[in-house]
Amino acid sequence: MAATLTAEPLTLPCGVTVKNRFYKSAMNEALAGRDCAPTEAHVHLYRTWAQGGAGVLVTGNVMVDRTQLGEPGNVAVEDERDLAMLRRWAEAGTENGAHCWMQINHPGRQSPITINRHPLAPSAGKVDGEYGKFFAEPTELTHEQIHDIIRRFANTARIAKKAGFTGVEIHAAHGYLINQFLSPLDNRRTDEYGGSLENRARFLFDVFDAVRAVVGPNFPIAVKLNSSDVPIAIKVNERDGAPGGFNEEESIWVMKQLEKRGVDLIDISGGTYSKPVIQTNDGAAEDRRRGVYFTDFARRIKGELNVPIALTGGFRNATDMEHALGEGITQMIGIARPLALVLDLPNRIIRDGWQGSVDLPRVSTGIKPLDKAFGGILVISWFELQMHRIARGKRPNPRIGGMRALLFALKQHGPAALTPRRRKGRQ
Ligand SMILES: Cc1cc2nc3c(=O)[nH]c(=O)nc-3n(C[C@H](O)[C@H](O)[C@H](O)COP(=O)(O)O)c2cc1C
């Protein structure tokens, strides 16, 4: 099948047109040092991707507060100290007619204990599930702190625009702070930010409105939102005895409200740290089981919304992309991991009519208990290693082993990454 639909431009509600339907979804690059500043490595990585042909490149999540990181190696933008390097990053990411949008985030309680012993969240209470050991117990945000974070999102968006990024994406998915506010499991507040769905969504809407106020009406704002907090292939464990937090009905309501408020695109995802979007370290085997992620949800909302959708997760070949666009369940093709392996995937599909499939490898240390303890982290670290290679001008190397990914994770987090496990083992 000729790649006709992926090649079509798309005009967003704000009036901006993107050149094709490839939407490089956010992947934290883990390239910043302790100063949380962008580097030449970011510049090189995004220049490479821009030359690869995607219509939109979304950056890895950029934090609004350097004391509250989602991961070591995050960029944080809270003032203009790094404006010169941000300009170079934006310039590289917008080469070749690409858009480069900064993803803006606050981790809330999902801030690793190795770098943050004092996380903040809508309500106190630890992250559950096997990854809970990686996070300290958060304290409940005060009203002033909530308003400070809303101002921070707006300020980071203002600086992104000033630096030359051509849009922003607000990260409201994957269990981070905005998602925590949305989730009835995480948010047990009794003030105007908790309780009813309208109240739980208030933080997202306040952030959105504050960002819109500073960037103006003609600047793209996307929101990455969970279809639900439980990615579809996971069966809610009966032992949990609890619903999966933010659910599909609630998500649809939030999308409709965002549409009314003037959002330009909704990037659909799902999952939290407890029930992650990347469920195993099986790579292609997991993909074959799941197909394109969140397809049923995208079908469900088709016709209910006019705002463009970027469905993200599981796109590995042109046929699935053309089908999804042809069926009208998405207007953009969200792709993350394959673009760390095939850097010019959009060009290959659009220009060369490539009909192959990007098979993700199984990432394993070869030691079962290690794989079990670090499964999702191994996958993330493995792809971060690929981005580090690309940023140094090297080709990706699919043969990198799981043990190297684990060592990289330990280097990033320090040996303390093992501490919570040991402590738990002693109890
Ligand atoms: C290394 C890595 C880092 C990621 N960082 C982010 C991030 O910063 N923000 C985000 O919204 N999603 C992040 N994701 C999730 C991806 O955007 C995407 O939702 C997920 O990988 C599924 O898409 P895929 O199947 O095309 O990889 C990350 C994924 C990987 C592998």
Side-chain angles (χ1 to χ4, degrees), residues 319-398:
T319 309
D320 284 350
M321 298 173 193
E322 291 286 319
H323 276 150
L325 292 170
E327 197 187 336
I329 58 172
T330 191
Q331 284 66 50
M332 296 213 67
I333 302 296
I335 311 183
R337 285 167 291 172
L339 284 169
L341 291 174
V342 184
L343 312 179
D344 59 347
L345 187 64
N347 281 345
R348 284 197 200 187
I349 290 175
I350 291 176
R351 282 195 206 151
D352 312 337
W354 190 66
Q355 287 296 314
S357 175
V358 183
D359 277 351
L360 304 185
R362 176 163 194 275
V363 181
S364 169
T365 59
I367 302 169
K368 264 197 185 154
L370 279 183
D371 285 0
K372 193 168 173 321
F374 292 98
I377 293 169
L378 278 185
V379 177
I380 298 286
S381 301
W382 193 90
F383 281 94
E384 287 172 351
L385 274 174
Q386 301 297 350
M387 287 186 272
H388 280 225
R389 286 180 65 84
I390 304 161
R392 291 198 307 272
K394 295 186 173 175
R395 305 287 312 156
N397 176 7

Side-chain angles (χ1 to χ4, degrees), residues 25-28 59-61 103 169 171 174 224 269 277-278 287 293 312-316 334-338 360 379-381 383-384 387:
S25 291
M27 277 187 286
N28 177 46
T59 67
N61 54 181
Q103 189 187 55
E169 178 173 272
H171 197 350
H174 298 174
K224 190 164 184 173
S269 195
V277 64
I278 301 171
D287 290 337
Y293 308 171
T312 293
F315 281 112
R316 307 292 178 248
I335 311 183
R337 285 167 291 172
L360 304 185
V379 177
I380 298 286
S381 301
F383 281 94
E384 287 172 351
M387 287 186 272

Side-chain angles (χ1 to χ4, degrees), residues 297-319:
F297 179 75
R299 286 207 177 103
R300 191 173 162 190
I301 61 169
K302 185 186 160 190
E304 293 224 25
L305 296 159
N306 289 317
V307 62
I309 298 295
L311 189 59
T312 293
F315 281 112
R316 307 292 178 248
N317 61 65
T319 309

